[in-house]
Every structure is written in structure tokens, then in C-alpha cells.
Amino acid sequence: MLKLCGFRISNYHNKVRLALLEKGIEFEEDATCTPKQTEEYLARSPMGKAPFLEVGDGRRLSESEVICEYLEDCYPQKPLLPKDSLGRTKVRELVRHMELHVELVARRLYGQVFFGRPPLAEATKQSIEKELARGVRAFRMLAKFEPYVAGSELTLADCAAFVHLPLVALASKHAFGRDFLDDLPQVKPYLRMLGERPAFRKVNEDRKAAQAALRK
């Protein structure tokens, strides 16, 4: 059986977990795997990151998007990508833009706004602000919200958007005094809609429980 290894506060872990649940794939979960640079952990995840997926016979996959693509290939019964080549590629394009140009840019703020690390240099914040504005602009051009982020059907892009966009909104509001996603009024009702789906609700509740446990 597949085993997803990571931790439930991680948005990338939760993205893969959403895909597994929505596709109805049976899997085990080790939610105690946080990033490490020990020799033992690096043997399981080459960059020492989470999540990674154990697929059996000592074989593993790392990187959330690679894992999701593997799930699509091996478990096509309930697809989270369109059937046509262009449609599939447009979903991948949206996810890539969302992660590379929005979430990973906002991630540079997380240490300061979520974990109490020293404030970033003003020049660094200004650079992040400009990059994030460009990334959100590109996301706005690609996102459809019809009603799902890539169109009329639930896709891997929704699994990504549900876990990334709230963090981007919160981080930008804390760092810059404004939510960079406010220019997309569709985002909040869209996230509420996704949150009503059983898999999304479960992942969100489990994330909140993991965060609460950390604070104890």
C-alpha cells in the first residue's frame, strides 16, 4: 500500500493528501516526517524535504507535483486532470504559476510572519512585494473559477489552490498590511465551496488539529 510521509501542517503534504482522498486511493500516512538533513532521512527524501511517497519495494517519490502526476498515471479511475492534452497542460501551467510565482515567493515571508524570526531587510521585502504582485497578476489571468480554479471540473489545481492561497493571503496581509488576493473577489467564496467537500474539510480539520497540538 502507498504511504504518504510528511506532516499535516505542510501545505504540500496536504495537497498530495487531498489528491489521494479525492481519487479514493487507499493509503497509509506517516504524519511525523518533518524535513531533516540526517543521513537516514536523506536516504528517503533526497533533499530532506516532505512530503514523499513510499510506493513499495523500497521505492519512493519526492516532490508533491511529481507524486500527484504518479497518482494520475497509476490510478486513472477518478482523474484530477482533463482528458485532452491541452486541458491537462493548462492545469499543470496553472499549478506551476501558483507554486513558483505565488506560493514560493510568499514563502519567503513565512519565517517572519508565522514563526517569529527576525524581520526581513526592507530591500528584501520590497523585492518580495514586487515579485508577489507579478505572480498574483499572472494567476489572475490563468484562473477561471468556473466554479473550479481551472474550469468546470475539480482538478489537481484545486488541491494546490486550497492549501496555498490562504497562506499567501495571510502572509501578505501580515507583511504588507494588505491581502494580495483581495483583487480576486472569487477566491474567498471559491475556498468556502471547496471546504464543503468531505476530503477538503477533513484535511483542513486535521491541519487545524496539528497546529493546535504544536501550540500545547
Side-chain angles (χ1 to χ4, degrees), residues 87-175:
R88 295 168 74 88
T89 306
K90 291 298 289 184
V91 171
R92 293 177 178 123
E93 177 189 34
L94 179 54
V95 173
R96 181 64 58 89
H97 272 274
M98 197 187 323
E99 295 188 341
L100 187 61
H101 301 301
V102 180
E103 198 279 335
L104 287 175
V105 176
R107 179 168 287 265
R108 294 162 63 190
L109 301 167
Y110 294 177
Q112 174 185 322
V113 301
F114 296 144
F115 302 111
R117 293 176 189 161
L120 295 168
E122 191 58 32
T124 302
K125 281 187 65 177
Q126 289 177 1
S127 174
I128 294 170
E129 188 173 17
K130 289 178 182 177
E131 288 183 50
L132 191 56
R134 288 196 295 267
V136 170
R137 181 187 63 197
F139 173 70
R140 183 171 61 243
M141 294 174 68
L142 294 169
K144 294 184 176 180
F145 302 108
E146 295 177 353
Y148 299 103
V149 73
S152 61
E153 300 293 332
L154 184 82
T155 67
L156 291 174
D158 298 293
C159 298
F162 186 74
V163 298
H164 297 328
L165 296 185
L167 287 173
V168 172
L170 192 58
S172 61
K173 190 169 185 177
H174 277 291

Side-chain angles (χ1 to χ4, degrees), residues 29-214:
E29 182 184 16
D30 181 350
T32 66
C33 295
T34 54
K36 299 180 185 69
Q37 291 297 307
T38 64
E39 190 172 322
E40 180 183 4
Y41 195 88
L42 290 170
R44 304 173 75 193
S45 175
M47 285 295 293
K49 294 164 58 178
F52 57 92
L53 184 73
E54 295 184 346
V55 299
D57 298 325
R59 297 172 298 172
R60 302 176 183 88
L61 292 170
S62 57
E63 297 297 335
S64 66
E65 198 58 23
V66 171
I67 295 169
C68 288
E69 291 283 349
Y70 171 80
L71 298 177
E72 281 297 294
D73 287 344
C74 294
Y75 301 89
Q77 296 84 353
K78 190 176 179 183
L80 289 175
L81 286 174
K83 292 180 180 179
D84 66 291
S85 297
L86 181 60
R88 295 168 74 88
T89 306
K90 291 298 289 184
V91 171
R92 293 177 178 123
E93 177 189 34
L94 179 54
V95 173
R96 181 64 58 89
H97 272 274
M98 197 187 323
E99 295 188 341
L100 187 61
H101 301 301
V102 180
E103 198 279 335
L104 287 175
V105 176
R107 179 168 287 265
R108 294 162 63 190
L109 301 167
Y110 294 177
Q112 174 185 322
V113 301
F114 296 144
F115 302 111
R117 293 176 189 161
L120 295 168
E122 191 58 32
T124 302
K125 281 187 65 177
Q126 289 177 1
S127 174
I128 294 170
E129 188 173 17
K130 289 178 182 177
E131 288 183 50
L132 191 56
R134 288 196 295 267
V136 170
R137 181 187 63 197
F139 173 70
R140 183 171 61 243
M141 294 174 68
L142 294 169
K144 294 184 176 180
F145 302 108
E146 295 177 353
Y148 299 103
V149 73
S152 61
E153 300 293 332
L154 184 82
T155 67
L156 291 174
D158 298 293
C159 298
F162 186 74
V163 298
H164 297 328
L165 296 185
L167 287 173
V168 172
L170 192 58
S172 61
K173 190 169 185 177
H174 277 291
F176 303 114
R178 64 186 181 95
D179 177 353
F180 270 49
L181 298 179
D182 273 348
D183 291 339
L184 286 86
Q186 309 97 317
V187 167
K188 289 179 182 177
Y190 159 74
L191 293 174
R192 284 197 297 270
M193 175 194 71
L194 288 182
E196 293 172 359
R197 297 179 67 92
F200 285 77
R201 186 185 309 116
K202 177 174 177 55
V203 168
N204 200 38
E205 289 172 351
D206 289 345
R207 175 190 60 78
K208 290 178 180 178
Q211 287 177 318
L214 267 188

